[in-house]
């Protein structure tokens, strides 16, 4: 049986991603001064305007307007003709302290910052143990970003989208049927010449290097609506947390609904989603299953998870999935503050998560992206694959 699956990604200059990066830059600034900071920062951007709102309880003073402007500049909104400019924007700050009720419940009990359910997913379609469509969508925009920043593609501007459709046969990816890209560009550039340059400098080199390689049909749609010289927050309003499917698994697997960016890790929307990915990735890396989805659920102010669920979609190599669940509970820390400690989530590492996906990235030497490590795979295999 053959079926198609499509996922999309957006670049660091997309309006919603601008907001995610500003919110996480604020979080990082506070964590650099106070590792125990409680932060929930939301950002809105539109033409030459940026609003920060939310709650912060932390030691140390932070210049929010400067952080926002520096982030906008780093993304690349520096050209005078673009209607969103790091120096010309108005920055309005509406941040206040966290609710004492919530703060007391979280701090005194070392409990979850809110109720809710979080999901993590992994599969063996790619070396990163990510679904192929979202992983390739992210990598296309990463390569475009490098080409834009280096000057290799001079006409490209920060805003862009990608979309990849993959054909599956009996649950396994067998071909790339469609690639779609929309790229914010300078005025007066011919669409056909842009399309060819993107194909030659972004798509072809990436597919040549991408592992595992799938045959591409050659179908490539570029800027289907026509000109895209009005882009970024000048073309569309952006908000923190509106790209949660882009942030996770591209629609492959469930989502609990909570956004990540701007939230410190006492908010289980973020930390438990990272732990769920860590668990799922280690299960797949161990060979215990080809696909795995983890659900964790919490009650506000309480440290113990309400529920832990493992789904391996019939790909498990053990007789009973309940054995995997027992191993997960025994091996992985699941209380919020234990998650924070084990994954090193009090460090200022979050700005870099806010574009090109929170998952499927390589863990750095500084400990960032620790949830992408597979250091528990051997223990899982020795316990479950007897």
């Amino acid at each position: 049986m053959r079926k198609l699956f499509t996922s999309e990604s957006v670049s660091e200059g997309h309006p919603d991603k601008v907001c995610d990066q500003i919110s996480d830059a604020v979080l990082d600034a506070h964590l650099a001064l106070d590792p125990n900071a409680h932060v929930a920062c939301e950002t809105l951007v539109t033409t030459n305007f940026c609003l920060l709102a939310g709650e912060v309880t932390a030691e140390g003073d932070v210049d929010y307007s400067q952080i926002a402007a520096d982030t906008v500049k780093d993304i690349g909104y520096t050209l005078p003709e673009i209607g969103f400019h790091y120096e010309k924007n108005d920055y309005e700050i509406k941040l206040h302290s966290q609710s004492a009720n919530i703060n007391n419940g979280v701090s005194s009990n070392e409990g979850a910052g809110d109720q809710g359910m979080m999901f993590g997913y992994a599969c063996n379609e790619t070396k990163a143990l990510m679904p192929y469509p979202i992983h390739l969508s992210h990598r296309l925009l990463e390569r475009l970003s490098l080409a834009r920043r280096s000057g290799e593609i001079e006409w490209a501007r920060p805003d862009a989208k990608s979309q990849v459709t993959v054909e599956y046969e009996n649950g396994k990816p067998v071909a790339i049927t469609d690639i779609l890209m929309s790229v914010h560009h300078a005025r007066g550039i011919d669409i056909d010449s842009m399309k060819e340059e993107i194909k030659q400098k972004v798509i072809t080199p990436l597919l040549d290097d991408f592992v595992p390689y799938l045959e591409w049909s050659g179908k490539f749609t570029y800027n289907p609506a026509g000109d895209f010289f009005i882009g970024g927050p000048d073309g569309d309003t952006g908000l923190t947390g509106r790209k949660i499917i882009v942030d996770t698994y591209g629609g492959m697997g469930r989502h609990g609904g909570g956004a990540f960016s701007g939230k410190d890790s006492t908010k289980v929307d973020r930390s438990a989603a990272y732990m769920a990915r860590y668990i799922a990735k280690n299960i797949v890396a161990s060979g215990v299953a080809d696909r795995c989805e983890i659900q964790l659920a919490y009650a506000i102010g309480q440290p113990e998870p309400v529920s832990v669920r493992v789904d391996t979609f019939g790909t498990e190599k053990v007789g009973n999935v309940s054995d995997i669940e027992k191993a997960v509970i025994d091996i992985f820390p699941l209380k919020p503050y234990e998650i924070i400690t084990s994954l090193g989530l009090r460090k200022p590492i979050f700005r870099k998560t806010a574009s090109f996906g929170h998952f499927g990235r390589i863990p750095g030497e500084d400990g960032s992206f620790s949830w992408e490590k597979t250091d528990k795979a051997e223990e899982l295999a020795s316990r479950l694959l007897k």
Side-chain angles (χ1 to χ4, degrees):
M1 180 180 292
R2 293 194 170 217
K3 293 185 177 181
L4 301 180
F5 195 92
T6 302
S7 294
E8 71 157 349
S9 182
V10 297
S11 72
E12 74 269 48
H14 183 280
D16 295 330
K17 278 290 141 200
V18 171
C19 294
D20 287 344
Q21 289 169 91
I22 292 172
S23 292
D24 272 338
V26 168
L27 171 62
D28 281 353
H30 275 294
L31 290 175
L33 298 173
D34 178 8
N36 295 311
H38 288 180
V39 178
C41 177
E42 311 285 349
T43 303
L44 176 149
V45 294
T46 187
T47 303
N48 287 335
F49 180 78
C50 175
L51 169 68
L52 274 63
E55 301 80 45
V56 174
T57 299
E59 299 293 331
D61 295 326
V62 168
D63 187 338
Y64 298 115
S65 296
Q66 190 62 55
I67 289 170
D70 288 347
T71 304
V72 173
K73 180 181 180 181
D74 182 64
I75 291 168
Y77 286 108
T78 59
L79 298 174
E81 69 267 22
I82 297 178
F84 185 77
H85 189 282
Y86 78 101
E87 287 184 318
K88 298 178 181 179
N89 293 341
D90 291 328
Y91 297 95
E92 187 170 348
I93 311 302
K94 295 291 184 181
L95 290 162
H96 56 80
S97 61
Q98 185 183 42
S99 160
N101 296 148
I102 296 175
N103 186 59
N104 290 338
V106 172
S107 299
S108 61
N109 298 331
E110 294 193 345
D114 203 351
Q115 70 176 45
M117 68 286 191
M118 301 83 210
F119 289 93
Y121 184 85
C123 60
N124 59 7
E125 295 178 18
T126 62
K127 283 189 174 182
L129 304 185
M130 286 288 286
Y132 204 106
I134 186 65
H135 193 57
L136 179 53
S137 294
H138 286 324
R139 304 294 78 81
L140 286 167
L141 291 181
E142 277 186 328
R143 185 174 285 273
L144 172 64
S145 178
L146 289 172
R148 173 179 66 87
R149 291 175 180 273
S150 69
E152 182 182 3
I153 301 180
E154 295 182 352
W155 49 262
R157 301 296 180 254
D159 194 0
K161 287 186 174 184
S162 64
Q163 187 168 287
V164 175
T165 300
V166 171
E167 184 176 24
Y168 286 77
E169 183 174 1
N170 298 323
K172 299 291 184 181
V174 294
I176 302 165
T177 62
D178 294 87
I179 294 176
L180 164 64
M181 293 189 71
S182 296
V183 182
H184 182 200
H185 58 84
R187 290 177 182 266
I189 309 297
D190 176 70
I191 287 182
D192 289 337
S193 64
M194 286 190 287
K195 180 178 181 178
E196 184 61 25
E197 193 166 358
I198 291 293
K199 184 177 178 180
Q200 295 301 323
K201 295 182 178 180
V202 176
I203 298 176
T204 300
L206 185 63
L207 291 182
D208 286 344
D209 295 340
F210 205 70
V211 178
Y213 179 78
L214 297 184
E215 191 68 29
W216 173 35
S217 69
K219 185 177 180 182
F220 173 40
T221 304
Y222 177 78
N223 281 17
D227 285 334
F228 185 16
F229 53 76
I230 301 173
D234 190 32
D236 194 6
T237 298
L239 293 168
T240 299
R242 283 206 301 196
K243 289 293 176 283
I244 57 177
I245 300 302
V246 169
D247 285 341
T248 53
Y249 309 103
M252 187 82 73
R254 299 172 179 88
H255 196 294
F260 302 153
S261 291
K263 298 176 182 176
D264 76 90
S265 294
T266 63
K267 283 75 171 174
V268 283
D269 281 341
R270 182 168 221 157
S271 54
Y274 288 177
M275 177 53 70
R277 162 64 177 173
Y278 178 52
I279 297 168
K281 187 173 184 181
N282 275 271
I283 288 172
V284 173
S286 72
V288 169
D290 296 336
R291 295 172 61 202
C292 183
E293 183 180 77
I294 304 294
Q295 185 196 48
L296 304 174
Y298 293 86
I300 188 170
Q302 300 301 308
E304 296 286 351
V306 172
S307 65
V308 179
R309 180 177 184 271
V310 176
D311 191 344
T312 50
F313 308 95
T315 68
E316 67 276 1
K317 308 301 187 294
V318 299
N320 196 329
V321 175
S322 65
D323 292 338
I324 306 176
E325 290 184 348
K326 291 175 185 176
V328 166
I329 292 169
D330 290 345
I331 293 172
F332 294 92
L334 300 177
K335 296 178 181 179
Y337 276 68
E338 292 177 349
I339 293 172
I340 291 169
T341 299
S342 67
L343 295 182
L345 300 181
R346 294 198 186 278
K347 302 174 184 177
I349 60 172
F350 295 106
R351 159 78 195 279
K352 68 183 73 173
T353 69
S355 52
F356 312 120
H358 291 246
F359 308 125
R361 313 274 283 281
I362 304 300
E365 293 180 359
D366 61 354
S368 61
F369 299 97
S370 55
W371 50 93
E372 291 297 314
K373 294 179 181 178
T374 55
D375 53 338
K376 300 294 184 183
E378 185 176 344
E379 183 176 0
L380 285 163
S382 65
R383 172 165 171 165
L384 295 167
L385 298 177
K386 299 177 181 178

